[in-house]
Amino acid sequence: MKYDYLIIGAGFFGAICAYELSKKGKKVLVLEKRNHIGGNAYTRNDNGIQVHQYGAHIFHTNDKDIWDYVNNLVPFNRFTNSPLAMYKGRLFNLPFNMNTFHQLWGVTTPEEAKEKISEQRSEMEGKIPTNLEEQAISLVGRDMYETLIKGYTEKQWGCSAKELPDFIIKRLPVRFTYDNNYFSDNYQGIPIGGYTKIFEKLLENVDVRLNINYLEDREKYNDLASSVIYTGPIDAYFDYELGALDYRSLKFEHKVLDMPNYQGNAVINYTEREIPFTRIIEHKHFDPVETSHTIVTKEFPKDWKLGDEPYYPINDEKNMDLFKKYRKLAKNEDNVIFGGRLAEYKYYDMHQVIRSALNCVKDL
Ligand code: UDP
């Protein structure tokens, strides 16, 4: 056989495995369905502006080893995510911090803010939150929930916040300082010159074939290597024999504007239910460049159907049960490893996928 490993997918999981295995002297072939490497982290250079083609990717981690690892591949800038939220023409700072509390209620001290929140969350009366709505109200109270969470969340997930698991909102920090840094992690930044550079580095000594749909011709490709690392959707691998897993999908509307600066910030969330998109990102603010034009992207959440781009896994009971059945099938596949967001059906951040891929190679 020509290769030791056949890796399906050139996103983070696949590319990290390819890099690490080839460093160990293994012969690796990566097959990628799209016409580019990088998975959803791929950035396209559009006249000097790095466009996040599949939505904003902001690297953040508390894991120093992972931070050092990615910085050894390419240099990162000091980007700090400080998104704003627009609600009925008013701007609020995110995540929930003293600036937000001041903007919403006029309070100026942490004590006043805490008093206001405890008054607002009293409707929960010590009840343990069982869904996203209750979790949000018990974190920040009703006003904040109605203004900054409810509309955004229901647009993003296409259902009532009462039907969503509380863990989604646990991602949102609440602070009693005037600190607009969205993430609490110690390390954060954007690769200078775009994410695609990371993947070029990871794959520089590896054979990569683009525009290849492995599943359509798997016998032929399996003959090329003794083991497979599969990073595509797990249900697709098994021809959806137990049914399809659900996802939430997104539609991106990219626009080139003839002005140097459209919104003055990388990310502005639109939290009103009536506005159909959830956020506008302005790419040049992630990786600053001086150009007379700018590129913005509106992000529209949408229902997912077979054939659409799968973005967010829906980790509800029904889908998790189905996933577990697929995982059982996957365990019985000889010489195939399933890894990454789509094969593990997991709401992964980039640093977590990298860690998981490194562990995977270590286990091999
Ligand atoms: N969220 C919200 N209002 C906002 C931003 C986020 O209510 O302005 C909630 C929403 O429920 C969302 C979750 O927080 O699903 C996670 O948002 P985040 O932006 O961290 O997710 P991403 O899509 O970037 O992974």
Side-chain angles (χ1 to χ4, degrees):
M1 278 181 189
K2 206 165 164 230
Y3 296 98
D4 299 304
Y5 287 93
L6 193 59
I7 298 184
I8 315 307
F12 264 116
F13 197 95
I16 296 278
C17 287
Y19 179 67
E20 290 297 325
L21 288 166
S22 71
K23 272 201 308 197
K24 289 182 198 302
K26 301 290 179 198
K27 292 219 69 191
V28 175
L29 172 65
V30 176
L31 302 179
E32 168 55 53
K33 194 162 92 171
R34 290 177 174 159
N35 62 0
H36 60 75
I37 56 174
N40 284 357
Y42 167 75
T43 47
R44 172 175 57 87
N45 185 334
D46 190 321
N47 296 306
I49 298 175
Q50 298 301 330
V51 176
H52 294 220
Q53 191 71 12
Y54 304 94
H57 281 71
I58 300 154
F59 201 95
H60 58 95
T61 183
N62 251 332
D63 186 333
K64 182 164 188 312
D65 292 343
I66 295 290
W67 182 243
D68 291 343
Y69 184 91
V70 293
N71 276 269
N72 274 328
L73 296 168
V74 297
F76 274 62
N77 68 16
R78 57 150 200 86
F79 179 80
T80 303
N81 191 27
S82 314
L84 293 160
M86 177 79 86
Y87 180 78
K88 300 199 169 160
R90 282 177 72 195
L91 277 176
F92 296 90
N93 286 108
L94 290 174
F96 305 116
N97 72 81
M98 283 306 298
N99 288 302
T100 333
F101 307 141
H102 177 68
Q103 287 148 354
L104 193 64
W105 296 315
V107 295
T108 54
T109 66
E111 203 174 325
E112 285 168 2
K114 281 183 180 164
E115 202 171 301
K116 191 82 195 166
I117 288 178
S118 88
E119 184 189 303
Q120 290 243 331
R121 61 155 75 115
S122 63
E123 68 173 277
M124 285 293 293
E125 285 172 335
K127 234 170 68 185
I128 294 169
T130 56
N131 59 47
L132 193 148
E133 174 167 307
E134 291 175 1
Q135 174 71 21
I137 293 172
S138 71
L139 268 179
V140 285
R142 167 96 27 200
D143 282 358
M144 203 76 70
Y145 171 66
E146 301 277 347
T147 315
L148 299 175
I149 300 173
K150 188 172 194 288
Y152 186 96
T153 300
E154 295 190 343
K155 281 193 283 191
Q156 175 158 7
W157 299 100
C159 63
S160 157
K162 290 192 180 82
E163 296 161 36
L164 288 164
D166 57 353
F167 80 84
I168 293 176
I169 205 79
K170 283 190 187 140
R171 291 164 60 89
L172 284 184
V174 178
R175 294 197 193 110
F176 293 94
T177 52
Y178 287 91
D179 177 4
N180 295 325
N181 182 349
Y182 195 66
F183 300 115
S184 308
D185 291 336
N186 284 331
Y187 311 102
Q188 176 173 186
I190 303 275
I192 296 167
Y195 280 91
T196 304
K197 285 211 159 134
I198 298 186
F199 294 92
E200 284 165 357
K201 187 74 198 269
L202 290 170
L203 298 170
E204 71 187 350
N205 297 317
V206 173
D207 290 346
V208 179
R209 291 194 214 158
L210 300 176
N211 304 302
I212 302 284
N213 190 336
Y214 161 76
L215 294 179
E216 277 175 4
D217 226 344
R218 61 178 104 181
E219 268 76 54
K220 176 178 122 192
Y221 293 113
N222 286 346
D223 283 345
L224 298 176
S226 37
S227 300
V228 174
I229 296 177
Y230 177 82
T231 75
I234 189 166
D235 51 355
Y237 181 92
F238 293 105
D239 295 322
Y240 307 99
E241 63 179 70
L242 306 172
L245 289 161
D246 292 322
Y247 290 88
R248 192 71 183 142
S249 197
L250 297 169
K251 191 186 91 194
F252 295 106
E253 211 176 270
H254 306 287
K255 248 196 195 128
V256 180
L257 302 175
D258 189 20
M259 58 172 81
N261 188 358
Y262 171 70
Q263 62 182 17
N265 204 38
V267 184
I268 300 190
N269 292 353
Y270 284 75
T271 55
E272 275 164 79
R273 190 74 177 90
E274 294 68 31
I275 293 178
F277 48 88
T278 45
R279 47 193 162 193
I280 300 182
I281 60 174
E282 185 167 12
H283 299 271
K284 70 193 307 185
H285 299 309
F286 289 116
D287 184 7
V289 276
E290 300 248 342
T291 54
S292 58
H293 74 300
T294 190
I295 302 176
V296 296
T297 300
K298 280 185 185 165
E299 185 173 320
F300 297 82
K302 64 184 198 89
D303 288 338
W304 177 87
K305 52 181 183 351
L306 217 59
D308 286 348
E309 208 57 78
Y311 283 97
Y312 297 99
I314 308 281
N315 296 111
D316 61 9
E317 227 175 281
K318 173 188 140 217
N319 283 288
M320 287 316 286
D321 282 348
L322 183 55
F323 168 67
K324 280 178 197 149
K325 289 184 187 142
Y326 276 119
R327 201 174 48 188
K328 232 183 194 163
L329 292 181
K331 285 207 175 108
N332 293 332
E333 284 290 287
D334 288 335
N335 305 318
V336 186
I337 290 156
F338 293 78
R341 178 179 57 98
L342 296 171
E344 293 177 67
Y345 196 60
K346 206 164 168 182
Y347 193 170
Y348 259 142
D349 283 338
M350 290 180 280
H351 64 106
Q352 296 166 328
V353 184
I354 295 173
R355 173 53 76 199
S356 158
L358 291 174
N359 287 341
C360 168
V361 174
K362 211 156 77 194
D363 290 346
L364 290 171

